[in-house]
Amino acid sequence: MPPKSGHHRAKNVGYDDDDMYGEEEDYYEEEGGEGDGMTEEDKEQMAAATLQVKEALFGDLRLTDKEIQEALWHYYYDVEKSVIYLKNKHTPKEPAQPKQSQKPVSRFDQAAGAADTGAPTGKHSLHDIQSTTLCAALSLNRVDVPYPEPLLAPLSMESLSTKTSNFFWDTPWGGIDRNRMGVIMEPTRLRGGLLGGSKLAALAAKRKQKQQEQASNGDGTSNADKAVALLDRLSVKGDRSAPAVAEAPKPSVRYQRKKSPSPKPEPEPEEDPEPEPVKPLIEFPDLRAEPSTFAATLCSDDPAQKRKMVTFASFDVPYSTQSKFRMSNPWDGPSPDDVVQEAQKRGAGRTPKAKKTPKKTNGEALAESVEKLSFVDDTPKVKSKNLNVEQEYAQSGLKRMLNFVVIGHVDHGKSTLMGRLLYNMKVIDQRSVDKLRKEAENLGKSSFALAWVMDQTSEERSRGVTVDIATNNFETEKTRFTILDAPGHRDFIPNMIAGASQADFAVLVIDASTNSFESGLKGQTKEHALLVRSMGVQRIIVAVNKMDTVAWSPQRFNEISSQMTEFLVSASFSPKQITFVPVAGLTGGNVTSHTEDPEATWYTGPTLVAALDASEPAKRPIDKPLRLTIADVFRGSIINPVSISGRIDAGNVQVGDVVLAMPSNQRATIKAIESETGEPGDWAVAGQIPVLHLQGIDPVHLRLGDILCDPTQPVRLVRSFTAKILAFEHVLPSTVDVFRGRLQAVGRIVKLSAVLNKSTAEVVRKRPRIVKPGEVARVVVELERELPLEVGVRVVFREGGKTVAAGLLEG
Ligand SMILES: Nc1nc2c(ncn2[C@@H]2O[C@H](COP(=O)(O)OP(=O)(O)OP(=O)(O)O)[C@@H](O)[C@H]2O)c(=O)[nH]1
């Protein structure tokens, strides 16, 4: 007998036979000692219990002590249970009742009965469906698995024929096509595991077989009890004290152990715990839908089944059901591309037939006509008056016209001086000057008020420097002047060059205040002077400015004059063409009238305006072919969509003339002409800077620096040229930026031909390796792109932000 400790433990929990077997086996091996294993206490307890059982039987049964003790051992000295057991076992049995249904039916028998008959006994319920469906879904086998109580609710015959789809007949998706319903395939072979091929299943099968044999032998009375006992063993027992009226002694393999001396109970039928898997005993109603193609393909081992399902569930794509689709061969006939190409071939050479235009709505017609209107150039053709412009100019009695460029180092007072000039010449009124002064004061730049007469952009005003050429006009009694105010900052030298290229003469402004003149010499004072000379400017007026800051010192004035004369003469200016005027642009001294400052009485020379007026204009090549350098392009005006302004270098123009823009090589007609002062006119001549309103040309073909020329004698586009240059820096064969007015291109000095005499232009030295600053030389230049250049035009070479040389194109 096992010791008590193991006894209690085994009774507290109901285990599966498999579990108990292994567990107990280990246990006995540990305990396996000699003798019956009963302690003295056990023996006493057994003897007392045996007496009690005998008393309880009252001699009803003649039983040996061994039989009684066997029962007591089995029921752990429980006298009551042992008595019941013994009575049941040894009381003669009555013949089996023919109506088993009248007997209390255990739950196991309910399930077993269902398996036997294949017919459920109760009503169809949701649980039925769920249980059977669940079983099918999980185990994929039909086995006699003990179900939880709710799942064993009786099934009706009706449910047998019930399909899963019928159950969902009232759901929104109940009418789904059969071939679109999900299917679970039953595997073709049994799987192992608890629900498929466990010992439990085998045991149940064996028991069922035994029951059938007993029933056939007429011994079916204890089937139900045994079934219940089996069920009880399969569930956890929470209450051992509950009466077990029909409970049979629990069959246990432990008593069959070799070493156990205890009396052996009756041999149980479950001798063979590992029977072969047998056919499932419970046949559940077949609620499965047909497997889907996917499931059949994936799960089924049966190729025939797979084929069947594929055939069953395959369906045509929608449009393939149309006979037209089925019958047609997409490769019949030519491809769409072939059709198009064939049609194009046939249509080649034929005049296209007028398309049948669909009838338009009023709105569409209106929109179309408006669109047409916008593209129709309704500008009337400009007719030329065929004037003799040279004769017109001679007879016009116009004042002579002079353009001058204002140059000098940054902040030496150029714009202020010009502002004062314009103010004194009544070009701008006091109100305008007051307004500018106020604005300048607000920005803390009150001293710049007069400069703002010329510097009109916000950038120029906020930075206090001139950026681009500013133009303005004024007149004296005999001359109409155009001012070209150039920026003094070295960053804007290309703009200064553009201004210088339009000028007849130059006004060089020098700050007379201490150190400013000297610093200017190192800066742009000399560079500007050299540049304008190189651009063909011969006359120069030097305005020694800010004389108020040096108390109109004649010494300072003379000092500056002498130094600058020396330099300018060295730069090829004729002394006769150089004029010095002491001025104060801010206060207006000597600008248009002599200053009243007593310290300035020593100066008796001309005022600035007088010096300007004393200038002689260069000879105007009015009779030459037209050459106009574009200085500005305007677009967007409704009346005049495209306009340009620029100096006429040579020739003349009149309204109705056709001009050629180079290098774009586009023609345009002159629609109207305005003078520098905005007065309309019929013609303009060389030396003037008119505004020309053009038609018949897109503004994209017009850029700053381009040339408008006579279409019959156009300017040449060149890639290589020879020039006579004045060197400002050492000149070597190298890459340079070539400027022609505002036109610019990258070029390379490929050859130093000769160093020339400055006055006579005779060759001094052939093929020099280098040209020194101040020397005049002949060089050959090649350009990266074509520029409109011809003999006599001025070019400037710059390198690394510095002007290295400037000169005249020779060929
Ligand atoms: N005292 C005094 N200051 C002057 C005179 N002329 C100009 N200034 C001042 O000099 C500063 C520069 O004057 P601007 O006219 O802007 O000089 P700028 O040469 O035109 O300068 P950029 O165009 O940028 O090269 C301003 O503050 C002027 O008020 C002058 O005659 N006397």
Side-chain angles (χ1 to χ4, degrees), residues 518-535:
E518 289 74 15
S519 62
L521 282 180
K522 295 172 194 162
Q524 273 64 61
T525 301
K526 282 185 174 178
E527 185 178 9
H528 279 193
L530 284 169
L531 270 172
V532 294
R533 182 68 191 94
S534 307
M535 301 299 292

Side-chain angles (χ1 to χ4, degrees), residues 195-215:
L195 296 176
S198 69
K199 292 175 185 175
L200 176 63
L203 207 60
K206 187 77 180 172
R207 178 174 290 276
K208 183 67 188 172
Q209 196 177 2
K210 183 99 180 166
Q211 284 172 349
Q212 285 171 340
E213 287 170 9
Q214 286 175 350

Side-chain angles (χ1 to χ4, degrees), residues 224-474:
D225 292 338
K226 287 184 178 179
V228 170
L230 179 59
L231 280 176
D232 288 343
R233 288 177 59 206
L234 292 172
S235 61
V236 176
K237 294 183 180 67
D239 183 11
R240 276 297 306 161
S241 62
V245 177
E247 190 178 34
K250 183 179 177 183
S252 174
V253 292
R254 79 178 73 173
Y255 302 123
Q256 296 165 23
R257 308 289 294 181
K258 277 183 187 172
K259 291 178 181 176
S260 175
S262 60
K264 290 180 182 169
E266 282 186 4
E268 291 294 321
E270 301 87 336
E271 292 275 330
D272 183 3
E274 301 266 344
E276 287 299 313
V278 293
K279 192 179 93 177
L281 298 177
I282 301 174
E283 290 289 344
F284 291 98
D286 185 5
L287 300 177
R288 297 168 303 165
E290 290 291 341
S292 67
T293 305
F294 176 75
T297 307
L298 203 68
C299 303
S300 177
D301 291 335
D302 182 2
Q305 171 75 356
K306 281 186 182 177
R307 272 198 306 278
K308 181 184 155 201
M309 292 315 301
V310 167
T311 313
F312 167 71
S314 64
F315 52 89
D316 294 333
V317 290
Y319 61 87
S320 70
T321 56
Q322 298 168 8
S323 59
K324 186 182 167 190
F325 173 81
R326 284 183 179 166
M327 303 306 293
S328 68
N329 179 0
W331 309 110
D332 279 350
S335 71
D337 282 352
D338 293 341
V339 171
V340 171
Q341 282 174 0
E342 187 60 32
Q344 284 173 342
K345 270 187 209 166
R346 282 200 306 271
R350 280 193 212 166
T351 38
K353 283 180 185 174
K355 273 186 186 174
K356 257 191 176 180
T357 46
K359 213 176 180 184
K360 288 176 184 132
T361 63
N362 286 346
E364 285 170 343
L366 185 65
E368 194 176 289
S369 51
V370 168
E371 198 176 333
K372 275 181 188 166
L373 279 176
S374 65
F375 284 98
V376 170
D377 185 2
D378 58 351
T379 314
K381 278 263 177 193
V382 182
K383 282 189 179 175
S384 174
K385 291 181 180 174
N386 291 319
L387 300 171
N388 184 336
V389 177
E390 291 171 49
Q391 206 173 334
E392 292 284 327
Y393 174 63
Q395 293 173 0
S396 65
L398 278 177
K399 288 182 183 174
R400 55 186 198 144
M401 292 165 289
L402 282 172
N403 316 315
F404 65 91
V405 61
V406 186
I407 57 173
H409 191 66
V410 65
D411 276 353
H412 277 208
K414 299 180 289 293
S415 300
T416 304
L417 184 61
M418 291 303 109
R420 169 60 68 178
L421 184 62
L422 290 170
Y423 173 64
N424 287 359
M425 296 301 292
K426 311 260 190 286
V427 175
I428 54 166
D429 55 20
Q430 181 66 44
R431 233 176 108 212
S432 301
V433 172
D434 289 345
K435 193 182 165 201
L436 288 175
R437 189 161 284 133
K438 219 174 177 183
E439 288 174 16
E441 276 172 8
N442 289 341
L443 283 177
K445 293 175 180 281
S446 55
S447 65
F448 284 87
L450 282 171
W452 285 8
V453 174
M454 298 301 293
D455 298 340
Q456 294 181 350
T457 69
S458 56
E459 184 194 4
E460 288 174 327
R461 289 185 174 183
S462 61
R463 289 177 63 178
V465 295
T466 307
V467 173
D468 206 346
I469 297 287
T471 60
N472 222 316
N473 302 282
F474 70 96

Side-chain angles (χ1 to χ4, degrees), residues 695-760:
Q695 72 177 37
I697 191 168
D698 193 295
V700 297
H701 300 303
L702 301 167
R703 290 173 302 176
L704 304 190
D706 284 3
I707 308 292
L708 287 187
C709 57
D710 183 348
T712 59
Q713 301 179 67
V715 64
R716 277 192 314 137
L717 295 174
V718 300
R719 254 229 153 96
S720 161
F721 62 88
T722 303
K724 187 170 77 175
I725 60 160
L726 172 66
F728 299 167
E729 304 284 339
H730 287 96
V731 176
L732 295 159
S734 60
T735 301
V736 290
D737 291 319
V738 180
F739 290 84
R740 189 261 184 234
R742 284 186 186 266
L743 276 183
Q744 181 187 352
V746 177
R748 181 172 176 79
I749 299 172
V750 292
K751 186 177 174 185
L752 303 177
S753 301
V755 173
L756 308 175
N757 182 290
K758 274 186 190 174
S759 308
T760 61

Side-chain angles (χ1 to χ4, degrees), residues 413-704:
K414 299 180 289 293
S415 300
T416 304
L417 184 61
M418 291 303 109
R420 169 60 68 178
L421 184 62
L422 290 170
Y423 173 64
N424 287 359
M425 296 301 292
K426 311 260 190 286
V427 175
I428 54 166
D429 55 20
Q430 181 66 44
R431 233 176 108 212
S432 301
V433 172
D434 289 345
K435 193 182 165 201
L436 288 175
R437 189 161 284 133
K438 219 174 177 183
E439 288 174 16
E441 276 172 8
N442 289 341
L443 283 177
K445 293 175 180 281
S446 55
S447 65
F448 284 87
L450 282 171
W452 285 8
V453 174
M454 298 301 293
D455 298 340
Q456 294 181 350
T457 69
S458 56
E459 184 194 4
E460 288 174 327
R461 289 185 174 183
S462 61
R463 289 177 63 178
V465 295
T466 307
V467 173
D468 206 346
I469 297 287
T471 60
N472 222 316
N473 302 282
F474 70 96
E475 285 184 32
T476 60
E477 276 187 10
K478 61 175 187 180
T479 314
R480 183 187 280 184
F481 288 100
T482 297
I483 302 170
L484 302 159
D485 186 19
H489 200 281
R490 62 182 176 186
D491 288 352
F492 309 119
I493 283 200
N495 292 345
M496 178 265 160
I497 293 169
S501 66
Q502 303 176 61
D504 294 313
F505 66 96
V507 173
L508 173 62
V509 179
I510 292 175
D511 187 344
S513 53
T514 315
N515 295 327
S516 292
F517 164 63
E518 289 74 15
S519 62
L521 282 180
K522 295 172 194 162
Q524 273 64 61
T525 301
K526 282 185 174 178
E527 185 178 9
H528 279 193
L530 284 169
L531 270 172
V532 294
R533 182 68 191 94
S534 307
M535 301 299 292
V537 172
Q538 293 182 343
R539 174 167 169 75
I540 191 164
I541 298 171
V542 181
V544 182
N545 195 25
K546 303 190 187 181
M547 284 298 290
D548 57 307
T549 61
V550 292
W552 295 94
S553 163
Q555 292 79 15
R556 181 67 171 167
F557 176 76
N558 291 332
E559 179 191 357
I560 292 171
S561 299
S562 59
Q563 280 197 40
M564 284 306 298
T565 301
E566 191 181 337
F567 168 73
L568 291 173
V569 169
S570 71
S572 302
F573 281 100
S574 163
K576 285 186 197 168
Q577 297 287 3
I578 304 169
T579 305
F580 289 92
V581 182
V583 293
L586 194 63
T587 58
N590 291 345
V591 175
T592 52
S593 59
H594 284 99
T595 177
E596 293 176 0
D597 195 318
E599 292 171 316
T601 50
W602 56 265
Y603 179 71
T604 53
T607 61
L608 182 61
V609 171
L612 295 174
D613 233 359
S615 304
E616 285 296 319
K619 192 175 179 298
R620 307 292 183 189
I622 297 174
D623 53 346
K624 300 285 183 200
L626 174 70
R627 299 288 185 266
L628 182 149
T629 304
I630 297 175
D632 227 330
V633 179
F634 316 96
R635 52 192 293 184
S637 159
I638 296 170
I639 303 169
N640 299 305
V642 186
S643 306
I644 61 101
S645 74
R647 181 178 189 258
I648 301 175
D649 301 314
N652 59 77
V653 288
Q654 62 179 302
V655 174
D657 278 359
V658 173
V659 293
L660 181 70
M662 292 294 278
S664 66
N665 203 26
Q666 297 289 313
R667 293 179 182 233
T669 305
I670 299 172
K671 187 179 152 194
I673 298 174
E674 285 178 29
S675 70
E676 298 93 323
T677 53
E679 296 159 21
D682 291 330
W683 49 266
V685 295
Q688 287 184 306
I689 306 175
V691 173
L692 304 183
H693 302 297
L694 304 176
Q695 72 177 37
I697 191 168
D698 193 295
V700 297
H701 300 303
L702 301 167
R703 290 173 302 176
L704 304 190

